[in-house]
Amino acid sequence: CSHSSIKHRHSSMLVLSSSLAAVKVSPLIEKVSDHKDFKKLLRTRTNVLVLYTKTATSGDSYLKLLSDVAQTVKGQGTIAWVNCGDSEGRKLCKKVKVDPSSRREGAELLHYKDGTFHTQYNRPATFKSMVAFLKDPSGPPLWEENPEAKDVVHVETEKDFRKLLKKEERPVLIMFYAPWCGVCKRMQPVFQQAATETKGKYVLAGMNVHPAEFDALKQEYNVKGYPTFCYFEKGKFMHHYENYGATPKDIADWLKNPQPPQPKTPEVPWSETDSPVFHLTDESFDSFLEEHPAALVMFYAPWCGHCKKMKPEYDEAAEVLNKSPGVLAAVDATVHKAAGDRFKISGFPTVKYFEKGEEKYTLPHLRSKDKIIEFMHNPQAPPPPEQSWEDRPSSVSHLGSEDFREALKKKKHALVMFYAPWCPHCKNAVPHFTTAAELFKEDRKVNCLGLFPNLPNSVTHQLSLPHTHTHTHAEETKGTCLAILFATIYHLKLRGMDEKKESNVFWL
């Protein structure tokens, strides 16, 4: 063999070796080159992130990262790789009109949702961002991805948190938050602006402590709601930042002279305000109804958000009506419990119409000033209540606490939806779930589609269902944003709930 031939052969071996090294990626990353296989992948998977590369090696940095991501999102998302540099891959890339060679790194990431193209992945190429994206492709970016939050120190682990407190000489104000919390989202721009304005003198940090792994940390610093702000000097906890305002200037001014939380100004009871509504007590209730033959009574709780929203509407309606053709009254059912118990008040607000001292109608649809005035001028029975899901004919089996476990023991496969009748997301899911039950009615592989509205604590604990609050009562704590998470659907692959190791849980 000539020297040039040996050189050429050696060169070819290097290319081949390099190519083989490039494709040694996690088995969880699906290598696709055929167009039919690609279409099948999109048809059978609902959440797919595809890496298109110019050559076998141009995506190496991505593939190493995506291998770790694929392991974490296993069962929730799929990662695929198309090498547009080989002959088959080139045809596929041409058909889907993707050209990674036009990209600076020779690689492009595209996301497909429910079988069709969804979006180009243009968030940071980091493990945390990619995992967050695949777990919620339509969700908001992480806080640290916002360029305007560059002056906020983003803390990921408890170890990082302890390290920050130990090493940082400057005072530290940390915001403990949850990603879903609306108040936190509104505070983030304020906090990051304060971080920029106080940069160099103070450290403003943010930490998502919603995951259960941070429960001990939350207990340590009395984090009862989100966001909670904790102030430290030389690693020592000093104060909570609370009730001192919610602007960047408020935070900056407080940092110059940190003080313990300011007591919250107590809310003036509705009955003590200049309200045109008659406020009743247990003692005055019956005599008031005797004196007023047409009365609308609102049973409320001071902490109830829906009640707070309705109060101004109710006040305005009372002012317009001015006792004619009837009067508007209210009862704080948390104080005057006898009245609430007597009329079986289980949720707030509850509005009832009384005629000549007798209860005539319960009116859940009356919430606005105009509707209240319209009703009082022409009192009519409310529309009939919506038929409950259990009472509607369908192929869905409805389970209760008494037969939940026994029913599952008899079924090899069961798709169970845990719901609350008042929950809007559940109501939206009902027709789709019912249609699915019809489709699987004759399918022996899916023997049971069961639903269960009121779970005992033992079941919620065993299935690790998220804690929920009912619509009738929710403890209001400082800066708390309560997430109501219902319409949780589980696939229970088991003959009995006790065989926990055989159960697969899917969040849909």
Side-chain angles (χ1 to χ4, degrees):
C1 290
S2 67
H3 178 70
S4 61
S5 172
I6 293 169
K7 188 179 178 183
H8 175 73
R9 215 177 276 175
H10 181 63
S11 171
S12 298
M13 286 172 69
L14 282 175
V15 171
L16 181 62
S17 170
S18 171
S19 177
L20 286 170
V23 295
K24 283 183 180 177
V25 295
S26 166
L28 293 172
I29 294 181
E30 305 212 14
K31 179 81 165 65
V32 186
S33 56
D34 181 74
H35 190 239
K36 284 184 181 177
D37 291 341
F38 181 74
K39 287 203 293 186
K40 185 182 177 183
L41 177 73
L42 297 189
R43 194 171 63 248
T44 55
R45 310 288 173 86
T46 58
N47 180 19
V48 185
L49 185 65
V50 182
L51 172 69
Y52 296 91
T53 61
K54 180 184 174 182
T55 65
T57 57
S58 60
D60 280 2
S61 60
Y62 276 110
L63 288 166
K64 187 175 186 306
L65 173 62
L66 288 169
S67 294
D68 295 333
V69 173
Q71 185 64 46
T72 305
V73 300
K74 186 180 176 182
Q76 294 172 287
T78 301
I79 296 173
W81 173 35
V82 178
N83 173 16
C84 299
D86 65 34
S87 57
E88 285 298 311
R90 195 175 297 115
K91 289 177 192 173
L92 171 56
C93 293
K94 197 172 180 181
K95 280 193 175 182
V96 295
K97 296 177 182 175
V98 176
D99 180 17
S101 63
S102 62
R103 300 283 162 183
R104 189 164 55 87
E105 295 175 347
E108 185 170 11
L109 280 162
L110 300 181
H111 183 257
Y112 298 82
K113 188 179 177 185
D114 300 324
T116 58
F117 172 71
H118 172 231
T119 185
Q120 180 182 348
Y121 180 85
N122 52 16
R123 286 166 63 172
T126 64
F127 173 79
K128 193 176 178 186
S129 290
M130 286 182 162
V131 168
F133 173 80
L134 279 167
K135 286 187 175 182
D136 186 8
S138 302
L142 300 173
W143 189 10
E144 54 262 48
E145 292 176 27
N146 183 348
E148 292 179 8
K150 66 184 185 306
D151 296 321
V152 174
V153 176
H154 299 280
V155 183
E156 288 190 32
T157 66
E158 185 172 345
K159 187 180 176 182
D160 293 340
F161 169 71
R162 305 285 180 197
K163 190 176 175 182
L164 174 70
L165 295 186
K166 188 177 179 181
K167 294 195 170 182
E168 187 53 64
E169 289 293 319
R170 292 166 295 176
V172 175
L173 180 65
I174 189 161
M175 173 176 160
F176 293 119
Y177 69 94
W180 46 260
C181 156
V183 181
C184 306
K185 288 175 187 175
R186 290 195 293 274
M187 275 304 296
Q188 283 173 359
V190 173
F191 196 71
Q192 62 204 29
Q193 192 179 327
T196 301
E197 290 174 7
T198 60
K199 189 178 178 181
K201 295 178 183 177
Y202 306 95
V203 173
L204 270 65
M207 185 176 182
N208 169 18
V209 291
H210 179 57
E213 65 190 272
F214 299 116
D215 283 353
L217 189 71
K218 286 183 278 189
Q219 192 172 356
E220 183 179 352
Y221 293 108
N222 200 28
V223 178
K224 293 180 178 175
Y226 303 115
T228 293
F229 300 88
C230 292
Y231 176 74
F232 299 84
E233 286 181 3
K234 298 192 185 299
K236 185 183 176 185
F237 172 70
M238 304 299 289
H239 309 297
H240 282 108
Y241 175 80
E242 193 179 323
N243 302 330
Y244 281 97
T247 69
K249 187 179 183 303
D250 291 329
I251 294 171
D253 288 347
W254 184 85
L255 285 169
K256 291 171 190 172
N257 182 27
Q259 297 292 318
Q262 205 165 247
K264 214 171 187 177
T265 309
E267 191 177 336
V268 178
W270 189 18
S271 58
E272 293 177 21
T273 62
D274 186 20
S275 167
V277 172
F278 290 94
H279 291 272
L280 310 181
T281 65
D282 285 333
E283 293 73 28
S284 66
F285 195 90
D286 289 329
S287 58
F288 177 84
L289 292 182
E290 283 173 18
E291 292 169 22
H292 300 88
L296 194 66
V297 181
M298 173 181 166
F299 295 85
Y300 72 95
W303 47 258
C304 159
H306 293 295
C307 304
K308 289 177 182 178
K309 192 176 177 182
M310 186 177 167
K311 281 175 190 176
E313 298 281 332
Y314 205 66
D315 273 336
E316 286 177 34
E319 202 161 316
V320 171
L321 289 166
N322 195 22
K323 304 179 188 176
S324 176
V327 295
L328 267 58
V331 180
D332 180 350
T334 65
V335 175
H336 306 289
K337 294 182 180 178
D341 292 343
R342 180 174 154 196
F343 294 102
K344 297 180 173 60
I345 304 302
S346 59
F348 302 110
T350 294
V351 180
K352 290 183 178 287
Y353 180 67
F354 293 83
E355 203 171 78
K356 297 176 183 175
E358 296 294 320
E359 179 190 348
K360 194 160 186 186
Y361 306 128
T362 299
L363 304 152
H365 64 295
L366 289 193
R367 289 290 183 272
S368 68
K369 176 186 82 172
D370 293 340
K371 289 282 184 189
I372 293 165
I373 293 168
E374 183 186 327
F375 173 83
M376 291 303 286
H377 280 292
N378 184 24
Q380 296 287 325
E386 189 182 340
Q387 192 179 20
S388 70
W389 193 7
E390 299 99 300
D391 296 336
R392 287 180 241 161
S394 78
S395 299
V396 174
S397 302
H398 291 269
L399 309 178
S401 55
E402 65 289 338
D403 60 356
F404 178 69
R405 292 173 188 275
E406 283 304 310
L408 287 182
K409 282 179 183 176
K410 295 173 187 173
K411 307 295 179 183
K412 187 174 181 180
H413 297 274
L415 188 65
V416 184
M417 173 172 158
F418 301 91
Y419 73 99
W422 50 263
C423 158
H425 298 296
C426 308
K427 288 177 182 177
N428 290 338
V430 164
H432 302 294
F433 202 77
T434 305
T435 303
E438 287 297 322
L439 292 172
F440 286 107
K441 187 167 57 174
E442 307 299 330
D443 193 332
R444 290 185 179 182
K445 289 181 181 178
V446 183
N447 300 92
C448 174
L449 289 161
L451 291 105
F452 187 70
N454 293 303
L455 295 168
N457 290 336
S458 59
V459 176
T460 58
H461 178 72
Q462 186 170 355
L463 290 174
S464 301
L465 278 177
H467 178 65
T468 56
H469 296 267
T470 69
H471 69 308
T472 55
H473 180 267
E475 183 187 354
E476 294 196 343
T477 54
K478 56 181 178 57
T480 305
C481 178
L482 299 173
I484 299 177
L485 187 58
F486 275 99
T488 302
I489 303 176
Y490 281 84
H491 173 257
L492 301 173
K493 185 184 176 185
L494 69 171
R495 289 191 179 276
M497 279 182 59
D498 296 332
E499 300 172 36
K500 197 170 182 182
K501 62 184 179 182
E502 292 187 15
S503 67
N504 292 329
V505 179
F506 296 91
W507 292 82
L508 303 179

